[in-house]
Amino acid sequence: QEQLVASGGGLVQAGGSLTLSCAASGRTISGYGMGWFRQAPGKERKLVASISWTGGNTYYTDSVKGRFTVSRDNAKNTVYLQMNSLKPEDTAVYYCAASGGVYDHPESYDYWGQGTRVTVSS
């Protein structure tokens, strides 16, 4: 069964750190751009970070630049999102997804994992 499994969410105080992981099973992530999206209550799902299939190019939305780092290990079929200096406004459900198209185009993502919840307390 093909799936993307996100993990690593939880409750953290403002200023803290979390690392999310997205492990693919039943399919390879090689050749695919990979992205992390988040959806806060009452808001639309938004691309926050993404990485090209080679890992050589990354994208970050402005609000997370300098705080979040996306990386991938194609040998382990896993993508990571290191989140530092977390803020209450980072609270959301985070989803990983795969793109067969342009990695920094949100509409190119067509394969989704389940979400992992991140809650940042003030």
Side-chain angles (χ1 to χ4, degrees), residues 41-110:
K43 295 188 177 181
E44 293 184 354
R45 187 165 55 187
K46 182 178 180 179
L47 178 64
V48 295
S50 61
I51 187 166
S52 62
W53 74 272
T54 64
N57 298 93
T58 56
Y59 162 84
Y60 298 96
T61 194
D62 286 346
S63 62
V64 308
K65 285 180 181 177
R67 300 188 298 122
F68 289 13
T69 302
V70 60
S71 62
R72 65 190 296 159
D73 186 336
N74 288 343
K76 294 183 178 180
N77 235 12
T78 303
V79 181
Y80 306 95
L81 185 66
Q82 173 68 44
M83 305 185 295
N84 298 325
S85 302
L86 282 162
K87 304 175 180 180
E89 50 264 44
D90 295 318
T91 295
V93 177
Y94 285 71
Y95 300 88
C96 63
S99 167
V102 181
Y103 75 99
D104 59 349
H105 288 193
E107 65 276 12
S108 71
Y109 286 82
D110 54 9

Side-chain angles (χ1 to χ4, degrees), residues 8-25:
L11 173 64
V12 63
Q13 289 188 331
S17 298
L18 282 174
T19 299
L20 306 183
S21 299
C22 175
S25 62

